[in-house]
Amino acid sequence: MIKGLNFLSTLTELMVNRESAGGLCVACLSTNAFNGLCLPCHADLPTNRWHCQSCALPLPYAATGLVCGDCLASPPPFSRTLIPWRYQFPVDGMITRYKYNGQRKFARPLVAGLGQYLSKNLEQKDAIVPDLLIPAPMHHQRRRKRGFNQAQDIAEQLGRQLGIPVASGLVRRKRKVRAQRELNREERLTNLNGVFRIIGTVPERVAIVDDVVTTGATARVLGKALREAGALDIQVWALARTPG
Ligand SMILES: [Zn+2]
Ligand SMILES: [Zn+2]
């Protein structure tokens, strides 16, 4: 019986691998990619090694435990940000294909890698395991246009990988705002003022999940709303961080 099950799971794995193997590598265009990335390119992904302890802003030099100027001047409502990659080639292209063309396979190696990065971090002594993952919400009109909310999609995959429940509909966007990418940092914060509405009970420990953190404005405003709704510890988890 057990042998039979093992055989079945090996067979399923082979089928899954065959289905996604042999594609084009999004980074080097070689034809032996697995989920959009060949092995050497996977090993070469731009890791966000040196970064602000608080908001994961990439630092241009080797340093650990440093906090960036922004976080010093105005401490964010979250305790830590865990982001394994920088928003650079080929991570930027992979996320764009995933988000705007709905090609989920390009996000698969990134989400799996984020899951491993988080597991490693959650094993550390001072780590706080969230009670609930909260995907950064998208306005329903934008969601309809795109077909899915990538933050919800990523949170659900992480939730399964880490065994943490995922909120759905706990936070709503009250109104449609201008696309954040058209705005500078100050404008982004004002643009989002009072935009999130919490519907329901927020547990003490939560993690906001998003695909990319750019200025951290969304995480700050959403974090503030969650804090006001009762969250005591808020983390931010994402695939990639832009340099500023
Ligand atoms: Zn490649
Ligand atoms: Zn910072």
Side-chain angles (χ1 to χ4, degrees):
M1 182 61 188
I2 287 172
K3 241 186 184 165
L5 274 179
N6 275 341
F7 171 70
L8 250 181
S9 74
T10 312
L11 195 70
T12 314
E13 211 176 281
L14 274 174
M15 281 160 70
V16 169
N17 283 346
R18 193 185 314 152
E19 200 199 337
S20 12
L24 211 59
C25 173
V26 64
C28 72
L29 304 182
S30 80
T31 50
N32 53 353
F34 177 76
N35 287 334
L37 213 58
C38 73
L39 276 179
C41 287
H42 196 280
D44 264 359
L45 285 177
T47 52
N48 190 16
R49 188 153 176 219
W50 313 113
H51 56 81
C52 165
Q53 265 324 88
S54 186
C55 74
L57 180 79
L59 296 176
Y61 41 84
T64 40
L66 281 191
V67 173
C68 77
D70 269 355
C71 289
L72 275 178
S74 136
F78 39 83
S79 61
R80 69 197 306 208
T81 301
L82 296 172
I83 303 181
W85 294 292
R86 294 186 177 185
Y87 194 68
Q88 291 169 2
F89 180 83
V91 170
D92 50 358
M94 294 169 77
I95 292 177
T96 302
R97 278 174 203 234
Y98 163 58
K99 206 154 112 172
Y100 299 107
N101 304 343
Q103 297 185 54
R104 282 193 166 84
K105 71 170 184 180
F106 286 104
R108 251 179 248 151
L110 299 180
V111 178
L114 171 60
Q116 286 161 9
Y117 179 80
L118 293 170
S119 315
K120 233 188 310 173
N121 272 281
L122 294 179
E123 278 165 16
Q124 281 170 14
K125 233 184 22 217
D126 58 342
I128 294 171
V129 180
D131 306 308
L132 189 67
L133 304 184
I134 299 179
M138 191 185 263
H139 190 269
H140 61 91
Q141 279 175 16
R142 188 163 285 160
R143 186 196 164 111
R144 221 175 10 238
K145 214 168 129 197
R146 194 174 290 173
F148 74 116
N149 174 4
Q150 71 280 353
Q152 183 85 36
D153 190 49
I154 295 167
E156 278 163 14
Q157 293 180 64
L158 291 177
R160 274 195 296 275
Q161 221 172 319
L162 303 168
I164 302 172
V166 179
S168 156
L170 178 67
V171 188
R172 295 250 172 90
R173 267 183 187 265
K174 276 197 263 188
R175 57 188 158 82
K176 217 171 143 197
V177 294
R178 282 173 65 194
Q180 289 288 91
R181 66 194 134 84
E182 297 163 7
L183 310 170
N184 69 31
R185 195 191 138 75
E186 297 317 313
E187 287 170 337
R188 281 175 188 236
L189 283 168
T190 337
N191 189 39
L192 289 171
N193 240 340
V195 80
F196 298 114
R197 188 156 64 103
I198 315 279
I199 313 145
T201 315
V202 176
E204 284 184 5
R205 295 163 299 192
V206 297
I208 296 169
V209 177
D210 212 344
D211 56 334
V212 182
V213 169
T214 306
T215 57
T218 304
R220 273 181 183 262
V221 178
L222 180 52
K224 193 168 155 255
L226 290 167
R227 178 139 291 193
E228 281 161 8
L232 299 178
D233 184 80
I234 300 162
Q235 301 181 50
V236 179
W237 295 355
L239 300 174
R241 183 72 162 90
T242 64

